Amino acid sequence: MSTPVTPALPVPGPAVAPLRDALLAAPFTPDGLLDLLGAPAYAALARGETVPALRATEGDAGPAATLVRLFLLQRPVPEAAARAALPLAAALADGWLTRDGGEVRATVDVRPYAGDDGQDWWIVSDAGCAVGRAAGAGGRARDVVLGVGGASTTLAQLTVRGPARRVLDLGTGSGVQALHASGHAESVTATDVNPRALRIAALTLTLSGARPADLRQGSLYEPVTGEDGYDLIVSNPPFVIAPPAPGAALTYREGGLGGDELCRTLVRRAADHLADGGWCQLLANWQHVEGEDWRERVAAWVPAGCDAWIVQREQQDVTEYTELWLRDAGAHQGDRAAYEAAYGAWLDEFAARRTRAVGFGWITLRRSGTDHPSLTVEDWPHTVEQPLGETIRAHFGRQDFLRRADDAALLRTRYESAPGVVQEQLGEPGAEDPEHVVLRQRRGMRRATAMDTVGAGFAGGCDGTLPAGAILDAIAQILGERGDTLREQAPRWLRPLVEQGFLLPRG
């Protein structure tokens, strides 16, 4: 079987501005698509299922329907319909479309995408890859560039936003993270080992009307060797843990290093390129190795002088993980014997590395320069509220407070409940007293924690007016307890309430 070849790409030429105007006018935007397709077909399209969108646009000759068929469904349309929807001659000249008899086809996927402040953006990717749909039986070319998917949007919503002098998007792919960074950074550097990805990222930025990024080819931190001072480093890297496949690895997902070495290297070397107070945020996979605690293993990646928050969102055993990524490559649609051989090779690789499962999650570093860094490593597969950027920023701010505050300072501080925190009382109907009191977050990480009588009373009294010690003294008087005893015990449960964001210090 011949190796699939990726087609030629458009050039960011004179067609870009009038094409962008045509997409807006159609409107070929997130809101426009929702109105055109309806919620079920819109959601199906995001899952890579095209039939509902085909049915929704059937017989519709309007510009939006034409653009959906061209750029998302990869269907040919009559030249007359294309001419009514976009600047046809310029789009053909710059390579966005090709002519086939009396019809035209798109050479790339273009997906409408909502910006951080409601802007209308568009993500360019290789044809058939706009919404992460699975590869066909023929597989994918090695240098194929995928569009925005669940991982891309997850990272974008995790990222701490704010004015930044320099941002590095490492492994830019179709340019999603660079596009987000363009809205709050003075300069953006975007790197990728795949030159095709850099060309597509340039198309994404240009079509979306964003400022150009400094695009550099190379692996890991090689393109920025010797450079530091980045206020933010973001990466959705090729983190898939796969067996060696010389000449056959898919560039967008496999970095060519064994096991989880690529993610470890990204984390370990981040501090060399961060400014003081700078952030590094990335998605990662890590091995669960026999006889090792995964938390200790991944925590060991964190470089000196950096605070870290590592969250495992999902864990798959090696068979689930193997099946996921073989299907991603379309291997299940080909020769059965070849599929079984590939499956066996993946299991052999995991066995050789004593790997029983693979974790997926988020890693956030902040270069604090402290000799006593904070390190939080947790397994949190539960629902969270997105975006989480401000939740992450606040987490590290609370870590700074707790690092400075000894037990006496904790009790001198005034606290108030975080927005969205509620108290639930659980017990039998009609019972005089609840069996359990639970504090629950309706925002951010959406944590819950059980409280005893003292803790519940304390949380209920935190409105930012009285210091903690005074509230404890009042509770002691009500319960007939010794105030000094409650003060001595309080830091053991007060610190976790602050660390996890139930209570916010207010001075």
Side-chain angles (χ1 to χ4, degrees), residues 37 61 172 193 216 236 268 282 350 362 382 445 447 457 481 489 492 506-507:
L37 302 178
T172 191
V193 70
R216 306 183 190 181
N236 176 20
R268 290 293 298 167
L282 67 150
F350 285 129
W362 321 321
H382 312 293
M445 295 295 287
R447 302 183 190 275
E481 300 279 354
Q489 295 172 345
R492 291 199 295 272
R506 292 306 188 215

Side-chain angles (χ1 to χ4, degrees), residues 146-500:
L146 270 61
V148 64
S152 304
T153 54
T154 293
L155 179 59
Q157 293 184 355
L158 288 173
T159 302
V160 175
R161 302 290 174 198
R165 190 172 62 88
R166 302 177 70 210
V167 173
L168 171 62
D169 175 14
L170 198 154
T172 191
S174 58
V176 177
Q177 310 309 323
L179 182 57
H180 280 279
S182 70
H184 63 93
E186 294 178 18
S187 69
V188 178
T189 300
T191 71
D192 206 290
V193 70
N194 182 1
R196 187 176 182 85
L198 297 177
R199 293 182 59 195
I200 284 182
L203 292 171
T204 290
L205 292 166
T206 304
L207 186 60
S208 297
R211 287 181 289 108
D214 179 4
L215 302 172
R216 306 183 190 181
Q217 184 181 353
S219 177
L220 299 172
Y221 292 104
E222 291 173 2
V224 293
T225 298
E227 295 184 18
D228 57 14
Y230 286 101
D231 300 300
L232 173 66
I233 299 173
V234 289
S235 184
N236 176 20
F239 51 62
V240 176
I241 299 171
L250 294 170
T251 306
Y252 72 87
R253 70 177 206 183
E254 297 162 34
L257 301 181
D260 51 21
E261 180 63 19
L262 184 140
C263 292
R264 188 191 76 86
T265 301
L266 283 176
V267 174
R268 290 293 298 167
R269 294 175 55 190
D272 297 336
H273 301 278
L274 286 173
D276 292 339
W279 303 85
C280 174
Q281 296 184 271
L282 67 150
L283 305 182
N285 277 188
W286 44 75
Q287 298 163 243
H288 286 232
V289 178
E290 292 288 350
E292 299 182 23
D293 186 321
W294 75 266
R295 294 170 180 82
E296 295 178 359
R297 188 170 181 279
V298 180
W301 297 355
V302 177
C306 286
D307 299 323
W309 188 12
I310 300 166
V311 181
Q312 179 170 274
R313 295 290 289 155
E314 184 179 1
Q315 176 184 330
Q316 292 184 322
D317 68 48
V318 294
T319 59
E320 293 175 301
Y321 190 81
T322 297
E323 291 158 16
L324 170 67
W325 294 110
L326 287 178
R327 286 178 176 274
D328 173 78
H332 64 300
Q333 296 176 327
D335 178 73
R336 184 66 189 178
Y339 173 78
E340 292 177 353
Y343 201 136
W346 281 64
L347 295 185
D348 288 344
E349 176 72 6
F350 285 129
R353 295 183 177 277
R354 299 184 297 112
T355 300
R356 58 179 177 79
V358 176
F360 169 83
W362 321 321
I363 298 177
T364 298
L365 307 177
R366 185 188 59 168
R367 187 177 178 187
S368 59
T370 179
D371 293 330
H372 304 285
S374 67
L375 177 58
T376 303
V377 186
E378 60 180 322
D379 189 10
W380 191 255
H382 312 293
T383 301
V384 300
E385 180 192 45
Q386 292 281 26
L388 269 179
E390 287 307 307
T391 297
I392 290 174
R393 187 195 302 276
H395 167 88
F396 285 88
R398 295 192 303 274
Q399 296 299 320
D400 288 341
F401 166 77
L402 291 170
R403 184 161 41 214
R404 296 190 304 265
D406 60 16
D407 288 353
L410 278 181
L411 299 184
R412 290 194 301 269
T413 301
R414 293 175 290 109
Y415 302 91
E416 64 182 22
S417 294
V421 171
V422 297
Q423 178 175 297
E424 300 175 352
Q425 296 185 353
L426 307 178
E428 294 291 331
E432 184 175 347
D433 296 312
E435 295 178 11
H436 304 284
V437 177
V438 174
L439 291 185
R440 186 178 303 278
Q441 299 170 346
R442 290 180 172 173
R443 301 179 63 181
M445 295 295 287
R446 294 179 173 168
R447 302 183 190 275
T449 186
M451 305 296 296
D452 63 13
T453 302
V454 173
F458 179 86
C462 287
D463 59 4
T465 59
L466 293 175
I471 297 175
L472 289 169
D473 290 342
I475 293 172
Q477 187 173 5
I478 293 171
L479 298 179
E481 300 279 354
R482 289 175 56 91
D484 56 351
T485 300
L486 295 191
R487 284 171 172 264
E488 182 180 351
Q489 295 172 345
R492 291 199 295 272
W493 50 262
L494 179 52
R495 284 186 182 275
L497 288 179
V498 175
E499 180 179 13
Q500 295 177 14

